[in-house]
């Protein structure tokens, strides 16, 4: 829709109902420009020139601050219901709001029951009711059962119930009741998904290379407090074999396959070739793979543990180029928190066995930090604010089917017909992450102490402010107004 067009073909004569969000730097899909974003009833109705504000409109003038579309994170482990002591809807969505996010999509494992049936989905919806500061959706799960039939019979029901897609593992998920899927089970699931337009999200590691590497390490009496040991136990080959399998499946089925949290840059050439061949494959990576490097991780620092693992500085640089070249589509956090004791960090003891990577839960806590982390790292690669919009808003919204200009799911861009979701961002503020800046439940995160550039100052959801930084204090809306986004809503 062109600039200046109306979302509904109507007029703006009813000035009193219009609110203008004005900035010298409004970030759209293809440019940064001075503009006034005109909003009625929580929806953008016009993207006008900076000085084109109807008389009697309410005006929020952000000056030189950047107005970004609300961020969308399609890889969040909220863990509710059942494991709200790890994280819950209230704390996760507050953290998301503080980071400029206005929509998150929850992963179907770590909660209990796992979201693999319609009944479990309804349990999750009940847990979320009245708790969410941002809008949310949840993936369904595809699980296997020891080489036999998995939950393929539940996929159609979950589609009808409104999930935007499905998540599976090709290796042990860490949750016994969310079993990994073998090739036969993946084929059966893809046969159901074929033609639906819904993606199958895959944790792309296979077990063989991991098991072989672990046996070798244990035979050599490896020190599991060293990050180098953990890295060696999850070799690149585990990802490469899994991605090779997924590419072969994409050649056989008319279905969208999405690779979550790509960690190895060695997969980029095969992924580029698959895309050039027209296969329906998309890819995400995560802030931790773009910010940290294996050589810099201290022994015993299990807050850095995730799977696939954080790899070398050379690999990190190659992932950045994969993003800039368009082989990697976007960035999602894979926020996967847990209670500190599950990280095997007994900080008040003298136990030399504390901090073992083989015993620690795998997952990086990061929700709310993606924008400044990515923006800071991007400074070394000459990227711009339009790239940020593509990677942290438009791309993830498209994966989850939230990027439509009509219906209930209108996320990921500043354009007529889309929700008035905004992140007000100061791209120049420099700050250091402290525990007070973390709004998720447990404050153990590898980002504590990181020196960042750029800070979210306000977040708006459907034209209402839900977060504000005021004199160093984080202020949140007194009422949680987040809504569930269902793929099949009219």
């Amino acid at each position: 829709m062109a600039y200046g067009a109306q979302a509904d073909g109507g007029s703006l004569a009813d000035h009193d109902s219009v609110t203008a969000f004005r900035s010298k730097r409004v970030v759209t899909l293809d440019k940064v420009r001075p503009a006034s974003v005109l909003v009625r009833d929580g929806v953008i109705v016009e993207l006008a020139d900076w000085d084109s504000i109807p008389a009697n409109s309410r005006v929020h003038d952000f000056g030189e601050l950047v107005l970004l579309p609300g961020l969308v994170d399609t890889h969040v482990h909220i863990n509710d219901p059942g494991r709200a002591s790890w994280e819950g809807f209230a704390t996760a969505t507050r953290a998301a709001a503080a980071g400029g996010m206005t929509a998150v999509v929850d992963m179907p494992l770590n909660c209990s029951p796992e979201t693999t049936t319609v009944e479990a989905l309804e349990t999750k919806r009940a847990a979320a009711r009245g708790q969410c500061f941002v809008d949310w959706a949840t993936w369904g799960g595809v699980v296997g059962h020891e080489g036999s039939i998995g939950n393929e019979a539940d996929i159609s029901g979950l589609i009808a119930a409104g999930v935007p897609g499905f998540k599976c593992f090709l290796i042990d998920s860490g949750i016994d009741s969310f079993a990994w899927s073998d090739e036969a089970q993946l084929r059966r699931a893809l046969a159901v998904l074929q033609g639906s337009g819904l993606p199958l999200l895959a944790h792309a590691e296979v077990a063989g290379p991991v098991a072989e590497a672990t046996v070798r390490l244990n035979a050599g009496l490896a020190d599991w407090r060293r990050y180098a040991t953990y890295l060696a136990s999850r070799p690149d080959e585990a990802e490469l074999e899994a991605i090779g399998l997924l590419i072969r499946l994409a050649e056989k089925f008319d279905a969208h396959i999405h690779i979550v949290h790509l960690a190895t840059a060695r997969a980029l050439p095969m992924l580029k070739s698959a895309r050039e061949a027209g296969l329906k494959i998309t890819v995400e990576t995560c802030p931790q793979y773009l910010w940290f490097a294996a050589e810099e991780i201290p022994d015993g620092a299990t807050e850095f543990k995730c799977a696939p693992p954080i790899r070398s500085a050379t690999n990190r640089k190659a992932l950045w180029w994969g993003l800039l070249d368009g082989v990697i589509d976007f960035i999602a956090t894979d926020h996967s928190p847990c209670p500190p004791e599950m990280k095997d960090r007994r900080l008040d003891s003298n136990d030399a066995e504390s901090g073992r990577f083989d015993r620690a839960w795998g997952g990086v806590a990061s929700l709310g930090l993606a924008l400044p982390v990515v923006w800071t790292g991007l400074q070394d690669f000459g990227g711009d604010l339009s790239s940020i919009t593509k990677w942290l808003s438009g791309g993830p919204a498209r994966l989850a089917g939230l990027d439509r200009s009509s219906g209930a799911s209108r996320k990921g861009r500043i354009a007529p017909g889309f929700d008035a979701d905004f992140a007000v961002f100061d791209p120049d503020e420099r700050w250091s992450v402290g525990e007070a800046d973390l709004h998720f439940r447990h404050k153990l995160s590898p980002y504590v102490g990181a020196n960042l550039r750029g800070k979210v100052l306000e977040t708006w959801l459907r034209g209402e402010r839900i977060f504000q930084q005021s004199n160093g204090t984080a202020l949140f809306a007194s009422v949680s107004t987040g809504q569930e986004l269902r793929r099949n809503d009219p």
Side-chain angles (χ1 to χ4, degrees):
M1 193 174 289
Y3 294 131
Q6 305 297 314
D8 56 4
S11 79
L12 293 177
D14 185 9
H15 297 161
D16 289 341
S17 68
V18 174
T19 302
F21 293 80
R22 185 163 76 168
S23 168
K24 293 293 183 67
R25 291 188 285 181
V26 174
V27 185
T28 63
L29 280 178
D30 57 354
K31 65 175 67 176
V32 181
R33 56 167 283 200
S36 291
V37 186
L38 306 184
V39 173
R40 180 191 288 132
D41 297 329
V43 177
I44 299 169
V45 293
E46 185 175 349
L47 189 55
D49 291 337
W50 183 82
D51 56 357
S52 296
I53 297 178
N56 302 320
S57 298
R58 291 165 293 182
V59 179
H60 299 283
D61 192 334
F62 299 106
E64 294 290 336
L65 295 174
V66 173
L67 194 66
L68 289 163
L71 309 186
V72 179
D73 192 345
T74 53
H75 197 147
V76 180
H77 294 268
I78 295 177
N79 307 331
D80 202 2
R83 293 190 176 95
S85 60
W86 297 20
E87 187 73 280
F89 277 101
T91 50
T93 58
R94 278 168 61 96
M101 293 176 183
T102 53
V104 297
V105 188
D106 182 36
M107 282 293 165
L109 69 159
N110 298 6
C111 51
S112 181
E114 296 78 13
T115 317
T116 56
T117 66
V118 172
E119 182 181 11
L121 173 62
E122 294 302 330
T123 301
K124 180 177 289 289
R125 286 170 170 165
R129 197 166 295 127
Q131 300 295 311
C132 299
F133 287 83
V134 304
D135 289 349
W136 71 281
T138 184
W139 302 112
V142 167
V143 294
H145 292 287
E146 301 297 331
S148 61
I149 301 298
N151 73 322
E152 296 92 332
D154 294 296
I155 293 176
S156 295
L158 285 163
I159 293 173
V163 301
F166 294 83
K167 169 71 178 295
C168 68
F169 278 74
L170 279 64
I171 195 172
D172 180 17
S173 70
I175 300 293
D176 291 342
S177 48
F178 199 96
W180 63 277
S181 299
D182 61 20
E183 182 174 351
Q185 291 161 346
L186 292 174
R187 286 176 175 272
R188 290 194 293 269
L190 288 168
V192 179
L193 287 173
Q194 191 163 235
S196 70
L198 273 61
L200 178 67
L201 288 69
H203 179 121
E205 290 181 288
V206 293
V210 174
E212 293 169 7
T214 302
V215 168
R216 287 195 302 270
L217 290 164
N218 286 333
L221 301 179
D223 181 357
W224 283 99
R225 295 191 75 257
R226 299 185 63 233
Y227 184 78
T229 301
Y230 175 63
L231 178 61
S233 76
R234 310 285 294 219
D236 298 72
E237 285 74 18
E239 286 190 82
L240 297 172
E241 288 187 23
I243 291 169
L245 169 60
L246 294 168
I247 289 172
R248 293 194 299 275
L249 291 171
E251 292 171 342
K252 299 293 184 182
F253 293 91
D254 179 23
H256 178 182
I257 294 176
H258 178 74
I259 295 165
V260 300
H261 51 44
L262 180 72
T264 178
R266 287 174 53 190
L268 293 174
M270 74 168 78
L271 288 167
K272 182 177 181 181
S273 296
R275 300 278 285 274
E276 290 174 345
L279 299 183
K280 295 180 181 179
I281 292 181
T282 52
V283 188
E284 72 187 47
T285 193
C286 302
Q288 58 263 31
Y289 303 127
L290 300 168
W291 183 258
F292 301 114
E295 301 92 324
E296 303 162 1
I297 297 176
D299 293 347
T302 51
E303 63 269 29
F304 288 86
K305 181 182 177 180
C306 56
I310 296 162
R311 302 194 187 278
S312 69
T314 300
N315 184 85
R316 174 179 61 190
K317 184 175 182 180
L319 289 175
W320 274 109
W321 285 116
L323 274 164
L324 292 164
D325 292 342
V327 182
I328 301 172
D329 296 270
F330 65 83
I331 301 167
T333 64
D334 190 13
H335 172 69
S336 186
C338 67
E341 58 269 20
M342 292 182 65
K343 282 291 188 181
D344 197 49
R345 293 292 300 276
R346 296 183 290 282
L347 301 180
D348 57 349
S349 77
N350 295 317
D351 185 357
E353 288 292 295
S354 173
R356 286 179 54 125
F357 282 91
D358 57 338
R359 295 197 304 218
W361 177 262
V364 168
S366 61
L367 196 56
L369 298 174
L371 175 54
V373 168
V374 173
W375 177 243
T376 306
L378 186 58
Q379 303 309 302
D380 292 335
F381 296 89
D384 56 19
L385 289 163
S386 293
S387 296
I388 291 290
T389 297
K390 177 172 65 176
W391 296 338
L392 293 175
S393 296
R398 190 173 307 112
L399 175 73
L402 306 180
D403 63 335
R404 296 171 291 177
S405 59
S406 61
S409 301
R410 304 168 298 210
K411 304 294 182 182
R413 69 178 73 175
I414 295 177
F418 282 72
D419 285 350
D421 292 358
F422 309 118
V424 180
F425 183 58
D426 182 347
D428 300 315
E429 182 171 343
R430 296 180 184 273
W431 59 292
S432 180
V433 179
E435 288 191 5
D437 300 302
L438 307 179
H439 299 285
F440 40 82
R441 185 176 297 277
H442 300 292
K443 312 305 180 185
L444 182 63
S445 171
Y447 289 102
V448 172
N451 295 313
L452 301 179
R453 175 178 175 178
K455 196 161 195 177
V456 174
L457 301 183
E458 298 182 21
T459 305
W460 295 72
L461 177 66
R462 292 188 297 278
E464 299 293 333
R465 187 164 53 203
I466 59 172
F467 168 78
Q468 181 181 22
Q469 281 281 351
S470 178
N471 298 319
T473 300
L475 304 176
F476 294 88
S478 58
V479 178
S480 54
T481 57
Q483 302 173 1
E484 184 189 1
L485 305 174
R486 302 187 186 187
R487 183 72 176 246
N488 56 2
D489 278 348

